[in-house]
Amino acid sequence: YDLGLLPGFPGTTTTCDGEECLSSIKDRYLAKEAMRICDESMSFLLGSQLSVGTLKTIIDSIEKDGSGRMPGYCCMDVATTSEFWGYNFDPKLNDTDKSPMKCQNKGLWHLGISDEACENAGGEWFRTPCLTLKETIDNRPSRFDLETPIDGTCQDNLNPLETAVVSASTGDGDFPFEATLDGCNEFCRSLPDYFMQVSMMTHQTEVNSQISDCTCIYRNGKLPSRDAMPSYSKPSPPKFTLTNSDGMALGLRPNIACDADEDLIIETQ
C-alpha cells in the first residue's frame, strides 16, 4: 500500500540512451526508497528469513500440485477462544474420546507461508506434513534388482551368510501393500534402517502364483528393534539354539563362516 502511494514511482515512460524506460530509474533516491518499502512489505508478508526465490518455488509447487503444498497454517486461537477453554491451541492435545484438538479460527491462508508471517498477524504457526520430502523418499531408487530377480534364495548368493530378516505375510489383514513384487519392495522400504538391507526375497503360492510372503534381509547384527516395526511383521530371533535329545544346547563354533573351507565344528554348551 505504501509502495503504491510513493510519489513518482514507478514514474512515467521516458527515453534512456535511445530506449524507453521509466523515469524513476534516473532518480536513485526514489529507487532506494522504493526498495526499502518493498523489503519492509516482503518482510511483513513472508518474514525476514524467507527469500523471494523461496516464495516463487512455493508458489510454483502450489500451482502444480495444489494448496496442500503450503508449508504450514496459522491458528489465531488463544486460551479463551480455543476448543479446550483455558488451553492454547495444540494439535497434540486430545479430548476424552482421543480426538485431536482442532483450530477454531484459522488465519488467512497466506499466513501459512512461514512462522514469522503468522506471528506478525498475531497467530501461532504449525507446520503441515512435507509432501515433497515424502515423494522424494517414495521415489528413491530401489536397493534391489526388481527387473531380473534370481531363483532360489538370496542367502545362496551372499557372502558371508546373512540371517537377520524381517518377513510378513501378504495375507495378513493388516498388511497394507499389494501381494506383488512392488508391494514387497514397498514393505521393505517402510521398515526402519532400510539402508542396512542387503536383499529381498518373495515366496509365491503354487495355487495362483501370487506372492504369499515378503522377506527383507538385513546385515547380521543390524536388525531393527522390534518396537520400531509394524505389528504384522515378523523379525528373526537374534540368536537360535538347537538341543539334542539329552537337552544339551548345540551351536556352531564362534566366528566361523558357513562357507569356510575348513570343517564346521559342532560344540555342546
Side-chain angles (χ1 to χ4, degrees), residues 61-245:
S61 179
I62 291 174
E63 289 180 343
K64 178 183 177 182
D65 300 311
S67 60
R69 303 297 168 138
M70 181 64 83
Y73 64 94
C74 186
C75 185
M76 310 301 289
D77 290 353
V78 295
T80 55
T81 61
S82 68
E83 183 180 14
F84 303 159
W85 194 91
Y87 292 87
N88 288 327
F89 171 68
D90 184 350
K92 299 184 182 67
L93 291 179
N94 297 325
D95 58 16
T96 53
D97 64 355
K98 304 302 181 181
S99 298
M101 189 177 188
K102 297 179 180 178
C103 179
Q104 304 299 300
N105 182 27
K106 284 190 176 181
L108 295 175
W109 180 73
H110 74 272
L111 296 177
I113 196 73
S114 71
D115 55 347
E116 194 173 351
C118 177
E119 291 174 2
N120 288 339
E124 188 172 1
W125 186 80
F126 297 89
R127 180 175 293 282
T128 53
C130 184
L131 300 178
T132 302
L133 176 60
K134 182 180 184 302
E135 290 174 351
T136 301
I137 294 174
D138 291 343
N139 294 331
R140 59 187 167 175
S142 173
R143 293 179 57 82
F144 316 123
D145 184 0
L146 303 182
E147 300 297 330
T148 55
I150 60 175
D151 293 329
T153 68
C154 291
Q155 279 94 339
D156 294 337
N157 298 274
L158 292 175
N159 186 17
L161 180 69
E162 307 285 0
T163 59
V165 304
V166 178
S167 60
S169 169
T170 59
D172 191 302
D174 292 329
F175 188 77
F177 309 103
E178 296 182 356
T180 62
L181 191 62
D182 288 335
C184 285
N185 184 44
E186 290 302 314
F187 164 64
C188 288
R189 282 186 172 188
S190 70
L191 295 176
D193 298 337
Y194 171 66
F195 65 95
M196 293 303 301
Q197 296 177 17
V198 294
S199 54
M200 178 183 79
M201 294 192 302
T202 60
H203 180 263
Q204 292 182 328
T205 59
E206 297 181 357
V207 178
N208 53 17
S209 297
Q210 286 188 342
I211 292 177
S212 59
D213 298 279
C214 306
T215 300
C216 316
I217 303 178
Y218 286 81
R219 297 192 183 279
N220 289 333
K222 300 299 182 180
L223 201 66
S225 167
R226 183 67 182 92
D227 295 337
M229 298 184 198
S231 59
Y232 56 82
S233 64
K234 300 175 182 178
S236 59
K239 297 179 180 179
F240 63 90
T241 301
L242 302 177
T243 58
N244 61 13
S245 58

Side-chain angles (χ1 to χ4, degrees), residues 29-63:
Y29 298 104
L30 179 61
K32 182 178 179 181
E33 180 63 13
M35 289 300 298
R36 184 190 66 79
I37 295 176
C38 181
D39 286 344
E40 287 185 357
S41 300
M42 293 296 292
S43 295
F44 184 78
L45 173 66
L46 307 177
S48 60
Q49 303 302 313
L50 194 67
S51 68
V52 176
T54 301
L55 172 63
K56 185 179 185 306
T57 299
I58 294 173
I59 292 174
D60 291 343
S61 179
I62 291 174
E63 289 180 343

